[in-house]
Amino acid sequence: MGLSHRHAVLPALFAASLLAGTLAANAAAGDDEATRASRWKEIRETIFGDRAIERTESVVKIDAPQRAEDASLVPITLTMPDKDAIKGVSFIIDDNPTPYAAHFVFGPAADPSSVKLRVRVNNYSDVHAVAETKDGRLYEATQYLKASGGCSAPMGMSDEEAMQGMGDMRVKFGEQAPGKPVQATLMIRHPNFSGMQMNQVTRDYTPARFIQTIAVSYGDRSVFTMDGDISIASNPVINFAYIPEGKGPIKVVASDNQGGRWEHSFPAPAPSN
């Protein structure tokens, strides 16, 4: 089974099994290294099957706070120095109810040297970045992250307020230099309800509603596609880079697990000479 197809079935699988307690019930701040390794082995085999994954300190790197200030809004940077070799990257939070947080596949207009996102972290946990190279090999980087309660943290407003303007988007572009990729920041208005947050008025749990797919293109060329789950923080923000060859615009298409779909185009800066 291919990686992208496997990810398509994982949300339902993990929601049924992990939320019921198959893995997450064992999570605790005091888990030792052997316990965490065993948990990762089970997750890894569920996602990647029997494919070999090589440990690395160079192909992919994770930059994350060792102790998060806000477990519902943890900044993550994935760096891939050998960008021309990278096909995609997955980010996995071992002790989250659905560990498979995000899977990026980079297109011909991408500069995949780094990507940034914000996630929820539910327990003290190992996090893994697994990069897939164009020759089909897998490489993993690991970090232990101290945070808890991020998936159930209330948003501090009513559900109705959180859903106002859902699907609105903005893209900010960085400075442009001749022959260099353009840095961009995508912001999407969406509550990304995890299904674990309690409505402070009704005391019922708000049903899960989260962005599942984001596709970004530059002109007629793909920059990246991302499959996501409840671990992506509310009002997703993704920093990425693209190669400004040809003409724009930057087009973004996003969809969520309840059938919502939004599409916006943004004028891209004219390529520099």
Side-chain angles (χ1 to χ4, degrees):
M1 183 181 295
L3 182 58
S4 60
H5 177 69
R6 182 176 296 277
H7 182 261
V9 302
L10 277 175
L13 171 64
F14 277 127
S17 63
L18 301 193
L19 277 173
T22 305
L23 298 179
N26 295 323
D31 281 349
D32 59 26
E33 186 173 347
T35 301
R36 299 200 305 271
S38 176
R39 186 175 301 120
W40 168 237
K41 181 177 183 293
E42 185 172 352
I43 295 170
R44 183 188 67 214
E45 291 175 351
T46 301
I47 298 173
F48 302 102
D50 59 0
R51 296 177 67 185
I53 305 180
E54 303 173 49
R55 291 183 177 271
T56 183
E57 295 182 358
S58 59
V59 178
V60 60
K61 303 177 182 180
I62 303 171
D63 183 8
Q66 290 188 342
R67 184 182 295 274
E69 294 184 7
D70 183 345
S72 67
L73 202 67
V74 182
I76 302 293
T77 300
L78 306 179
T79 304
M80 291 149 286
D82 189 6
K83 60 183 181 180
D84 293 333
I86 299 298
K87 177 181 178 180
V89 65
S90 300
F91 187 67
I92 298 153
I93 307 170
D94 292 14
D95 290 324
N96 269 16
T98 57
Y100 207 171
H103 173 53
F104 291 86
V105 176
F106 299 107
D111 179 298
S113 54
S114 73
V115 62
K116 299 180 182 180
L117 65 160
R118 305 186 304 186
V119 299
R120 298 176 169 124
V121 178
N122 209 49
N123 293 293
Y124 284 36
S125 177
D126 282 337
V127 297
H128 288 85
V130 178
E132 181 174 14
T133 54
K134 292 177 181 177
D135 61 4
R137 298 173 73 177
L138 299 176
Y139 298 86
E140 70 168 86
T142 307
Q143 182 174 324
Y144 186 62
L145 203 159
K146 296 179 180 180
S148 61
C151 292
S152 59
M155 294 190 63
M157 63 184 74
S158 69
D159 294 351
E160 292 75 15
E161 290 173 324
M163 295 175 69
Q164 286 180 1
M166 190 164 57
D168 289 349
M169 302 181 194
R170 289 190 294 160
V171 174
K172 290 185 177 180
F173 299 96
E175 294 183 3
Q176 194 169 6
K180 298 292 185 180
V182 177
Q183 301 292 322
T185 302
L186 168 64
M187 295 160 280
I188 304 177
R189 178 80 174 173
H190 196 289
N192 260 32
F193 292 130
S194 67
M196 299 172 62
Q197 296 149 313
M198 181 178 289
N199 185 301
Q200 300 302 299
V201 176
T202 66
R203 311 304 290 175
D204 294 326
Y205 287 98
T206 301
R209 183 165 190 176
F210 54 90
I211 288 180
Q212 281 188 310
T213 63
I214 299 172
V216 177
S217 57
Y218 175 72
D220 60 358
R221 299 187 305 154
S222 170
V223 179
F224 70 83
T225 58
M226 188 203 82
D227 297 317
D229 214 299
I230 66 168
S231 294
I232 302 297
S234 60
N235 299 319
V237 175
I238 299 172
N239 295 78
F240 63 95
Y242 68 92
I243 301 168
E245 296 176 354
K247 296 182 179 180
I250 290 288
K251 179 180 175 182
V252 183
V253 180
S255 60
D256 71 16
N257 67 314
Q258 291 194 18
R261 184 183 185 278
W262 304 272
E263 181 177 321
H264 294 277
S265 292
F266 304 89
S272 299
N273 296 321

